[in-house]
Amino acid sequence: KDHGSFPMNIWSKRNTRKDDIVGEDFVHEKIPPPLLVDMHGDQDHISSYIKRNGTKWSKTTNKPKQDNSKSAHGGSAYGLHIVQPIDTHLLIVEGGSGCVQNIEIGEEILSMVQADDVHGTNKLDLVVSTVAGNVVTLESEAPFHPLNVWNNGELRSRTNGAVHGYSASQGIFVHEVSRQFRDIFGVYVPVTFEIFDNRPNIRNEPDKRKYSVEIREGTSRLVFLGKDYDSPGVYTERFYIPHGPGYYEISVILKTSHGLVYEDAFHIGYNVNYMDGFGLLLWLPLTIATVAIFIMGSRKTHWDDDDYHGDSRHGKQGILGNLPE
């Protein structure tokens, strides 16, 4: 079914025609690929959507919540947003309503816009690169979700192209508790990830519920952990990095029974500040010893012999016996 708001005419600086209808004589020009991303301020539907276990999705629960006191971020219609760069402009189109927001960047844009949490604020950011070599990041109020990003050029991921995302039939993603950058101090690295499978009738096909997960160092073949699972869900595993201290990109890769590959990645520091632990081992005993000496030194000490004045020999009793007259 065609959407009532499409097709739409979008005019660029090089195109000055004012035709009302797109026809065969319309002037076409090559533009960068569009970005498809959900920029609504309310994205609670993602969690319930990926956990439907192959059942039919009801769109009534997918409508963003509206606050009467202010306009909803990203609009109030269903669906994704189309982020299309044209000349020096960035057009953000709400797919469900056809509403367009025009942002003037100031420099020509010839590459596809990317979407990810660049600033580490748990919000979705748009990354725009211009022909002058400048990179512009636009912060939004849309919550970040690892299944609602596009950060690998014109393809959504290094594997399987554009099949990733929360609308995919299967997938894997790392939870927030593990994907936040942190410096691991210890031997093992904990990681929490979730496997989802929304293929139709998958609950009645146990032979197809086979999920092979590998945890690797970036794009290398070095496998830190490999394990097979027989059901979707949330799992927490621990793995060891044999290369010693350093900064690592960790890839969590899922391979399904059909040979499809899904992945997610996060970054960590592994025992980079390991000297902090040695400092604690050094200063803690010294601090305890200093406090003990201070407490014992504050007590009043008596150096007089209690028996000296009370002895009938008037202090003439020595260590080895009576002192001579």
Side-chain angles (χ1 to χ4, degrees):
K1 183 179 178 179
D2 294 335
H3 197 283
S5 302
F6 297 92
M8 63 171 57
N9 290 335
I10 299 178
W11 303 100
S12 66
K13 294 180 179 179
R14 291 191 294 267
N15 186 3
T16 59
R17 299 189 57 174
K18 301 299 181 183
D19 297 344
D20 294 331
I21 302 177
V22 177
E24 294 181 357
D25 58 344
F26 186 78
V27 177
H28 295 275
E29 63 177 283
K30 185 178 180 180
I31 58 177
L35 166 67
L36 302 179
V37 65
D38 191 348
M39 300 189 65
H40 290 107
D42 176 26
Q43 295 188 5
D44 294 338
H45 60 281
I46 295 181
S47 178
S48 56
Y49 185 85
I50 63 177
K51 295 180 180 180
R52 69 186 191 276
N53 294 324
T55 59
K56 186 178 179 180
W57 173 247
S58 176
K59 289 186 177 181
T60 56
T61 60
N62 191 25
K63 190 172 183 179
K65 299 177 183 178
Q66 297 185 15
D67 187 357
N68 296 328
S69 62
K70 59 181 180 179
S71 58
H73 180 78
S76 57
Y78 296 116
L80 302 175
H81 291 79
I82 304 171
V83 182
Q84 180 64 65
I86 297 181
D87 291 332
T88 62
H89 296 268
L90 188 65
L91 303 178
I92 303 177
V93 184
E94 186 182 23
S97 64
C99 295
V100 182
Q101 180 180 1
N102 189 348
I103 302 176
E104 172 66 49
I105 300 299
E107 296 177 352
E108 188 176 6
I109 309 169
L110 296 180
S111 59
M112 180 179 174
V113 179
Q114 306 292 290
D116 204 341
D117 180 16
V118 179
H119 301 97
T121 58
N122 207 29
K123 300 291 184 180
L124 189 64
D125 305 320
L126 298 181
V127 183
V128 184
S129 57
T130 68
V131 294
N134 295 318
V135 178
V136 181
T137 58
L138 304 176
E139 299 184 33
S140 73
E141 292 300 321
F144 169 80
H145 194 283
L147 296 178
N148 187 37
V149 298
W150 200 300
N151 54 14
N152 200 62
E154 296 185 4
L155 297 178
R156 193 162 194 170
S157 175
R158 293 175 292 201
T159 56
N160 291 351
V163 302
H164 292 250
Y166 69 86
S167 60
S169 59
Q170 297 171 268
I172 188 172
F173 65 94
V174 179
H175 276 205
E176 179 68 19
V177 66
S178 296
R179 72 180 309 109
Q180 286 291 338
F181 179 81
R182 62 198 191 280
D183 184 20
I184 303 296
F185 182 68
V187 178
Y188 295 98
V189 179
V191 56
T192 301
F193 56 87
E194 182 172 349
I195 302 173
F196 66 93
D197 191 351
N198 290 316
R199 290 177 291 178
N201 200 39
I202 189 60
R203 292 182 296 180
N204 300 323
E205 298 177 344
D207 57 318
K208 295 182 179 180
R209 294 199 300 266
K210 297 179 181 179
Y211 314 96
S212 179
V213 176
E214 289 184 349
I215 300 178
R216 298 183 180 181
E217 178 189 357
T219 58
S220 69
R221 296 185 178 181
L222 177 62
V223 179
F224 296 139
L225 177 69
K227 193 172 182 179
D228 295 330
Y229 302 89
D230 56 6
S231 63
V234 180
Y235 299 93
T236 299
E237 301 290 350
R238 298 195 308 162
F239 63 93
Y240 168 69
I241 299 179
H243 294 326
Y247 296 99
Y248 294 90
E249 179 189 12
I250 307 299
S251 297
V252 182
I253 302 174
L254 167 67
K255 187 175 183 180
T256 67
S257 57
H258 295 293
L260 296 177
V261 178
Y262 301 87
E263 68 173 343
D264 193 9
F266 63 100
H267 299 81
I268 62 169
Y270 183 68
N271 290 318
V272 175
N273 299 318
Y274 61 91
M275 289 300 295
D276 293 346
F278 289 102
L280 180 63
L281 295 177
L282 174 64
W283 289 107
L284 183 60
L286 292 177
T287 303
I288 295 176
T290 302
V291 173
I293 294 174
F294 178 79
I295 294 176
M296 296 299 296
S298 62
R299 296 178 58 184
K300 188 175 181 180
T301 305
H302 299 278
W303 298 100
D304 298 335
D305 191 349
D306 294 338
D307 295 334
Y308 181 81
H309 299 287
D311 194 347
S312 59
R313 291 179 293 273
H314 304 288
K316 295 181 179 181
Q317 177 69 31
I319 298 177
L320 300 178
N322 296 329
L323 294 177
E325 295 293 339

